[in-house]
Amino acid sequence: MDPNVKKTSGSSNRTSAKWLTDVLAWNFECEMGEKAEKETRILGIESSCDETAAAVVVDGRRILSSVVASQIDIHRKYGGVVPELASREHLRQIVPVVRKAMEQAGLVFSDLDAIAVTQGPGLVGSLLVGISYGKTLAAALDKPLIGVNHLEGHIHAAFLEAYQHGDAPKLPAVCLIVSGGHTVLYEVKACDASQNGAFAYRKLGQTRDDAAGEAYDKVAKLLGMGYPGGPILDRLAAAAGCAVAPTKFGPTKTRGNALDFSFSGLKTAVLYHVREHPEYNQEIHRREVALREGHKKFDELLTLCSAQTLGLVREFQNAVVRDLVERTMKAAEDCGVATIFVSGGVAANSQLRATFQEHAASVGLKVYFPSRALSTDNAAMIAAAAYARFKLGVFADASLNAKSSMPLA
Ligand code: KG4
Ligand code: ZN
């Protein structure tokens, strides 16, 4: 309605009331229009490993949609991610996953302000699928393209979770990213130069060998527990109760940087323990057969575990959790921060969450975990991490390429 249309003389009160409501409605629409214009809708695309994901996030904070197609069932029989199979599956999934994310968000492509895509670190063949798709879409729509570091995405996942609950974490913070591919500690600070949610990162420590999630997966494999190992070992450790510990694993010492991690020694210690105790062999074999026959539910595997195995799993998890929590708490103390973020697939671990909460509360620190959906690989965290770059106008061009290793700091 055009508010400049004047009331004609002689029109009734009813007409003038209608004119007024139309003007008010028009003003309201204008205001809403301005508000809508200020919103930044970013489509995030993630394909760095074995999840094809797409999500739409508004202003780096509000998740309109988040779709994840997991390839776990494809890689399970190989006991780990097979890169060639992963890229092929990304190719199959990328179009339907993006389409679903747009539908769930209730948007069409022209409503988007930018396309964000994971540039690295990750499997090059997998990354290239998301990057090629993102580049093409951005070019076709004439929208900006933003390359995002996957690790920065994991840090933003913790923020995203807090924002969903109306919370705003205080910086500086220490962030532990702990997944199947990474175990790394960062100090996270707000960038002085901008109020755009851009952060500055300083790496404090990292694993010198296996990532914690990788250790879970390898130990699960050698115990005949299937893939991925983390979720099942998490639940078996909780079911162990006070089963006698068949062995104990002491703290891992790392020479040099006390904030570095190491998990391959622990994994090897479990392997040697199992080799030295042939009584494990029969039940490992029984579980492998059960898994091959499709009996992979927790209860089915639990009945195939002796108290000795449950005790071993509990001791393995105690050692991983103790190491992750102690070094992160030390980092928080060294940096004098009041906030800790824990993100990545292993952040879903129940004992890790409980132990962090307990330790952090005892020294007055606040610890943030993303929900399980935001802990594991997803594209909402990629869209959220891209927002600061969008505000700063840091865009990629058609030369954007995949990076298997891509340091954040
Ligand atoms: O972040 P993510 O989905 O993928 C990357 O590796 O980037 O993490 C997957 C890893 C796997 O190693 C899996 O075993 C582990 O996270 N994981 C867990 C749990 N859930 C997933 N580890 C321990 N406890 C869990 N509940
Ligand atoms: Zn990840």
Side-chain angles (χ1 to χ4, degrees):
M1 185 267 169
D2 183 357
N4 296 320
V5 176
K6 289 208 179 81
K7 189 186 121 185
T8 51
S9 62
S11 61
S12 69
N13 276 350
R14 202 166 152 225
T15 316
S16 81
K18 168 130 187 18
W19 179 81
L20 187 63
T21 39
D22 281 352
V23 171
L24 289 174
W26 185 82
N27 280 338
F28 179 71
E29 272 166 25
C30 287
E31 268 182 45
M32 293 310 285
E34 268 173 33
K35 260 194 195 142
E37 259 173 39
K38 278 186 212 141
E39 283 191 340
T40 304
R41 295 150 173 172
I42 299 183
L43 169 70
I45 297 171
E46 154 66 34
S47 69
S48 65
C49 190
D50 60 343
E51 264 105 16
T52 320
V56 180
V57 176
V58 175
D59 293 343
R61 290 181 175 231
R62 193 156 54 86
I63 303 170
L64 289 190
S65 66
S66 183
V67 178
V68 179
S70 168
Q71 304 179 2
I72 282 180
D73 286 337
I74 290 168
H75 302 289
R76 182 172 276 129
K77 58 176 172 286
Y78 304 100
V81 178
V82 183
E84 180 56 32
L85 294 183
S87 357
R88 277 194 227 163
E89 190 60 14
H90 284 304
L91 272 175
R92 255 173 33 85
Q93 292 290 352
I94 190 86
V95 172
V97 163
V98 171
R99 192 176 293 149
K100 201 164 166 194
M102 294 302 295
E103 272 168 24
Q104 274 186 11
L107 300 178
V108 291
F109 283 136
S110 57
D111 294 327
L112 296 171
D113 295 288
I115 317 294
V117 61
T118 305
Q119 186 183 5
L123 302 169
V124 169
S126 293
L127 287 163
L128 278 173
V129 177
I131 291 175
S132 311
Y133 183 93
K135 266 190 210 175
T136 314
L137 189 62
L141 298 171
D142 196 21
K143 307 271 182 194
L145 175 71
I146 301 169
V148 174
N149 187 311
H150 181 81
L151 297 170
E152 189 168 18
H154 275 303
I155 293 174
H156 277 266
F159 277 88
L160 256 184
E161 183 71 32
Y163 293 147
Q164 307 314 300
H165 303 106
D167 199 349
K170 285 201 182 76
L171 291 178
V174 157
C175 182
L176 169 70
I177 301 174
V178 59
S179 69
H182 311 280
T183 302
V184 53
L185 269 170
Y186 289 103
E187 184 184 27
V188 184
K189 288 184 172 173
C191 266
D192 294 340
S194 79
Q195 296 296 311
N196 293 315
F199 304 145
Y201 307 101
R202 182 166 68 96
K203 195 196 279 178
L204 303 168
Q206 65 184 333
T207 183
R208 294 184 181 173
D209 37 60
D210 291 353
E214 196 178 350
Y216 266 99
D217 294 339
K218 287 177 176 169
V219 166
K221 189 175 181 181
L222 76 90
L223 290 175
M225 306 288 194
Y227 173 85
I232 182 78
L233 295 189
D234 185 1
R235 295 185 71 186
L236 290 174
C242 46
V244 176
T247 180
K248 291 265 179 196
F249 304 109
T252 307
K253 293 193 181 71
T254 45
R255 283 171 196 264
N257 186 359
L259 299 180
D260 274 350
F261 300 90
S262 169
F263 293 102
S264 82
L266 175 62
K267 169 202 68 192
T268 310
V270 176
L271 175 69
Y272 286 172
H273 171 80
V274 170
R275 275 194 194 155
E276 284 158 14
H277 294 80
E279 66 270 25
Y280 286 107
N281 291 346
Q282 215 179 7
E283 56 173 305
I284 291 174
H285 179 68
R286 277 208 300 268
R287 287 192 293 269
E288 285 171 347
V289 171
L291 284 171
R292 270 202 298 278
E293 290 172 354
H295 306 295
K296 52 183 193 230
K297 289 206 184 101
F298 169 70
D299 290 337
E300 293 169 318
L301 285 175
L302 179 61
T303 53
L304 297 174
C305 291
S306 64
Q308 189 177 344
T309 295
L310 293 179
L312 177 64
V313 170
R314 185 195 58 213
E315 292 309 311
F316 163 75
Q317 177 155 290
N318 280 345
V320 176
V321 168
R322 180 184 56 217
D323 208 55
L324 292 172
V325 173
E326 282 182 2
R327 288 183 213 272
T328 307
M329 294 303 295
K330 177 167 174 18
E333 193 187 336
D334 289 356
C335 297
V337 302
T339 310
I340 292 175
F341 300 125
V342 187
S343 191
V346 183
N349 186 275
S350 44
Q351 190 179 334
L352 185 72
R353 286 178 176 245
T355 313
F356 258 122
Q357 297 288 12
E358 195 185 309
H359 282 241
S362 71
V363 290
L365 297 187
K366 187 142 187 202
V367 55
Y368 290 88
F369 289 92
S371 62
R372 212 194 114 53
L374 286 174
S375 292
T376 47
D377 287 350
N378 66 89
M381 66 185 197
I382 302 303
Y387 179 63
R389 284 207 179 76
F390 180 86
K391 296 300 258 183
L392 294 167
V394 181
F395 301 134
D397 59 26
S399 67
L400 185 76
N401 208 348
K403 288 188 174 170
S404 60
S405 80
M406 189 177 174
L408 189 53

